[in-house]
Amino acid sequence: MKHIILASASPRRRELLGMIVPDFEIATGIDVDETYPDDLPAEQVPVFLSQIKAAAYQHRVGINDVLITADTVVIVDNNILGKPASRDEAVAMLSTLCGRSHVVVTGVTITTITGQQSLSQRTIVHFDPLSKAEIEFYVDKYNPMDKAGAYGIQEWIGAAAISGIEGSFYNVMGLRIHQVFVALRQLGAIGI
């Protein structure tokens, strides 16, 4: 079996990878500049950022290691909504998303000593309207400052406002885990 390293501070990615890999290492502590070119199409940004993260942790990859890096973005009107910097920004982001559909894209890069594979997955999320009081309740109770688009589909807002999705639920959480499972199985990194 390979030694799998997840380079991510996201508790959701840790939870999701734990569904398919019982034992893996968490690597954090390297600040990565997540700047991307202005002319890069929005749906390509997550893979670009996952590759930048992979490059930052490349030195950790030995002969028996598999490194996983990822990034998730929320896209509405071809604009990327990142993680909110303040409560007001979180409320504004959610107000923008309410009553319409948006796209969530997660990019994943899987790195071994011999090569690298990048994957991308998109999910369309249909968001019902919420009142300002409901949005503020969610932001104050769940503090979604570490989430792209200022929400977690697995939280209250997912039950209250998301009327449907087209694609993977787990992709919206931050890791298209089936896609990662298939890639790891092909590498011989996991198996029963």
Side-chain angles (χ1 to χ4, degrees), residues 7 27-32 52-61 67 69:
T28 58
I30 296 177
D31 287 328
V32 178
I52 288 174
K53 293 173 183 180
Y57 285 91
Q58 180 80 36
H59 68 282
R60 297 283 312 270
V61 179
L67 173 70
T69 53

Side-chain angles (χ1 to χ4, degrees), residues 73-144:
V73 299
V74 171
I75 304 167
V76 63
D77 296 332
N78 213 28
N79 294 312
I80 293 175
L81 300 183
K83 297 172 185 171
S86 67
R87 177 188 185 277
D88 289 345
E89 189 174 6
V91 169
M93 283 183 182
L94 291 171
S95 297
T96 298
L97 295 176
C98 284
R100 54 195 308 202
S101 299
H102 62 273
V103 174
V104 176
V105 180
T106 297
V108 177
T109 297
I110 299 172
T111 306
T112 65
I113 197 83
T114 59
Q116 191 173 78
Q117 175 185 12
S118 292
L119 315 164
S120 181
Q121 188 68 45
R122 77 190 306 266
T123 302
I124 299 171
V125 179
H126 303 286
F127 222 106
D128 278 352
L130 289 174
S131 69
K132 185 172 183 194
E134 289 168 326
I135 291 170
E136 290 176 342
F137 162 80
Y138 172 72
V139 170
D140 292 340
K141 174 127 175 103
Y142 291 90
N143 195 29

Side-chain angles (χ1 to χ4, degrees), residues 9 17 25 54 60 63 66 68-69 85 87 104 106 117 130 133 144 157 175 184 188 192:
L17 186 60
E25 178 186 348
R60 297 283 312 270
I63 195 158
V66 177
I68 301 170
T69 53
R87 177 188 185 277
V104 176
T106 297
Q117 175 185 12
L130 289 174
I157 204 162
L175 197 61
L184 292 176
I192 307 288

